[in-house]
Amino acid sequence: MTLKESPVAPETVPRPQAGQPHRATAWPEARATAAEAGAAARAGQSAREPLTVPLGAALGRNLAGPLLALTDLPSFDTSAMDGWAVAGAGPWTVREEGAVLAGHAPAAVLADGEAVRIATGARVPTGTTAVIRSEHSRTELSGPGHSRTELSGPGHSRTELSGSELSPTELSGSELSRTEPSGAMSGGLLLHALREVRPRQDIRPRGQECRAGDRLLPAGTAVTPAVLGLAAAAGYDELPVLPRPRVEILVLGDELLAAGLPHEGLIRDALGPMLGPWLEALGAEVLATRRVGDDAEELYAAVTGSPADLLITTGGTAAGPVDHLHRVLDAAGATLLVDGVKVRPGHPMLLARLDGAGPRHLVGLPGNPLAAVSGLLTLAEPLLVALLGGVREPHHVPGVPVQDEVQGHPHDTRLVPVVRRADRVVPLHYNGPAMLRGIAAADGLAVVPPGGARPGQALEILELPWPTAAGSAPAQGACFT
């Protein structure tokens, strides 16, 4: 169906008239409405099958089910320290074999009174009763024709050599770990502990962290680098993750250039390159970013034909001669949930529920870049968070004092780019609706109530969905107010 064939002819759609009651929604209510719309859409969605992806592709996704351990962790008794595996009571006879190393086959069974060198992470031999740290032990030569040689660990300086040609250097520190008993040591080595030895000390027992089948993390957990490490340790090669909300971006306007310098009334499209990565950082799967000219029929076809769960449009939300979005939404049978928000910049943003199979929504962002950011954080972010099942918290920090006075709007909330300085935030200049210089240097946006904010007043901060180095913006160039 085309726009002309729709039940509502474009020319019959009522347009806002001067003097009509203000329809805009207060900023907190608009965010709440967006979150409720997302939650309702999630509840009404037919179940989408989880995706199974390799570990390397799971970062930033959300677990489709609980993460269950596939193995005991650790999966065998391991040494927690470099030192000696010993059996029974000391002193212990050092076995004439190399050290037990991580990743290698375990040593033969230790008999009472025996010791063997062992490395951190190595599987302890059967029969081991404890591990003695290198620095908590000493060894001595024993046997006919030799008197005693003591080797001290760190913090113990004494080394005695008699009846032997070996030098202190040859038998000290880490060299000992590579020294095998030889003919000169036909009597072998005896190991002594320098402090009390407790049963099972410095042994990580099998299953200390978890047992196979234990629930390690709940469903919905965001997959971070640490989660990837845990999953790998627990035996996973791939993870089942939730499908992301599908988003399509429609960048509207004949005046936009995709490349080159502005000229002859044409300007660069700043929103197309920015919105996709921003939405992906919020957890969305961006299907496409499409250019749509100032043509109502083309816009109608794009809106009604999109498979996305959420459509994002830029521009066309006001009442100008080529602002077709309201007419298209009416013709498509959409329901306006938010039509204007009492916030600056970004006042003419909107949220609509689209007609058709499955719950779908459209967020209309203003065409000015910072106003579009305002709409993104006001409507799109809360909706996406709810679509994800609330597994991500909106990026905000309540109650951070502002360093300087911030001028406010008489009736509307203001969103102002800020940077952090110690325990305060400092407003940035270049915060007009068409400007991106401020937000590019910002750590977040301060929510300034109607009437403004005085120095020291605590303000809610909308954080950006990517890491920022707090206070990294230089004072010169960031242009503080």
Side-chain angles (χ1 to χ4, degrees), residues 44-421:
Q45 282 178 340
S46 56
R48 292 173 62 190
E49 289 296 320
L51 306 174
T52 300
V53 299
L55 289 184
L59 185 65
R61 309 296 289 257
N62 296 89
L63 296 177
L67 186 72
L68 304 180
L70 302 180
T71 181
D72 297 343
L73 283 183
S75 53
F76 45 79
D77 290 358
T78 63
S79 176
M81 294 288 169
D82 292 328
W84 301 91
V86 300
W92 301 269
T93 301
V94 176
R95 281 217 309 230
E96 297 184 8
E97 61 184 71
V100 182
L101 304 177
H104 290 249
V109 176
L110 277 183
D112 277 358
E114 286 188 328
V116 66
R117 272 286 191 188
I118 194 165
T120 301
R123 185 170 187 164
V124 299
T126 302
T128 299
T129 54
V131 169
I132 301 174
R133 303 182 188 190
S134 297
E135 61 268 29
H136 297 163
S137 66
R138 66 178 176 84
T139 57
E140 67 178 17
L141 294 175
S142 64
H146 294 281
S147 55
R148 188 173 64 187
T149 301
E150 293 185 355
L151 301 175
S152 303
H156 301 277
S157 59
R158 187 176 60 165
T159 299
E160 297 177 2
L161 290 168
S162 52
S164 171
E165 296 301 319
L166 297 175
S167 69
T169 302
E170 290 173 319
L171 282 174
S172 63
S174 61
E175 291 297 318
L176 179 63
S177 66
R178 298 194 295 273
T179 302
E180 300 274 349
S182 64
M185 296 181 182
S186 57
L189 286 175
L190 282 180
L191 174 73
H192 295 266
L194 298 178
R195 56 182 64 185
E196 179 187 0
V197 177
R198 293 173 286 102
R200 307 292 292 172
Q201 74 177 23
D202 287 328
I203 295 175
R204 296 184 182 127
R206 176 173 181 165
Q208 181 184 48
E209 185 171 0
C210 66
R211 289 290 184 182
D214 283 355
R215 176 174 160 169
L216 304 178
L217 294 170
T221 298
V223 179
T224 64
V227 170
L228 290 178
L230 176 62
Y236 286 86
D237 300 317
E238 46 189 23
L239 287 174
V241 295
L242 294 173
R244 290 173 167 171
R246 297 164 298 185
V247 177
E248 187 172 13
I249 303 166
L250 304 179
V251 180
L252 312 183
D254 288 339
E255 75 280 12
L256 300 177
L257 291 168
L261 295 175
H263 64 276
E264 298 176 356
L266 301 177
I267 60 173
R268 279 297 296 269
D269 168 25
L271 295 179
M274 179 177 72
L275 292 179
W278 199 310
L279 289 160
E280 287 176 346
L282 292 175
E285 176 190 354
V286 177
L287 301 179
T289 298
R290 297 169 52 192
R291 296 281 301 278
V292 178
D294 291 323
D295 182 282
E297 287 283 358
E298 185 182 2
L299 179 58
Y300 179 84
V303 169
T304 56
S306 174
D309 303 307
L310 174 62
L311 270 168
I312 302 286
T313 63
T314 68
T317 57
V322 292
D323 291 336
H324 303 303
L325 188 55
H326 281 89
R327 295 197 296 263
V328 164
L329 291 174
D330 282 328
T335 302
L336 281 172
L337 304 177
V338 174
D339 190 11
V341 177
K342 295 180 181 179
V343 66
R344 306 298 169 118
H347 173 270
M349 66 182 74
L350 62 83
L351 169 63
R353 183 173 60 245
L354 299 175
D355 193 23
R360 299 167 57 238
H361 290 84
L362 181 146
V363 170
L365 305 177
N368 279 323
L370 188 57
V373 170
S374 175
L376 198 64
L377 298 180
T378 300
L379 298 177
E381 180 180 16
L383 191 146
L384 282 171
V385 167
L387 269 177
L388 285 163
V391 294
R392 296 169 185 262
E393 291 295 325
H395 298 79
H396 71 93
V397 177
V400 181
V402 64
Q403 180 169 299
D404 307 317
E405 181 180 2
V406 186
Q407 183 178 358
H409 186 275
H411 310 293
D412 296 349
T413 299
R414 278 193 72 204
L415 301 182
V416 178
V418 293
V419 292
R420 290 184 176 274
R421 288 290 182 265

Side-chain angles (χ1 to χ4, degrees), residues 406-456:
V406 186
Q407 183 178 358
H409 186 275
H411 310 293
D412 296 349
T413 299
R414 278 193 72 204
L415 301 182
V416 178
V418 293
V419 292
R420 290 184 176 274
R421 288 290 182 265
D423 60 345
R424 294 178 176 255
V425 293
V426 182
L428 294 173
H429 195 34
Y430 299 114
N431 53 34
M435 299 179 180
L436 288 175
R437 187 171 171 182
I439 188 65
D443 297 321
L445 286 94
V447 181
V448 181
R454 64 186 183 279

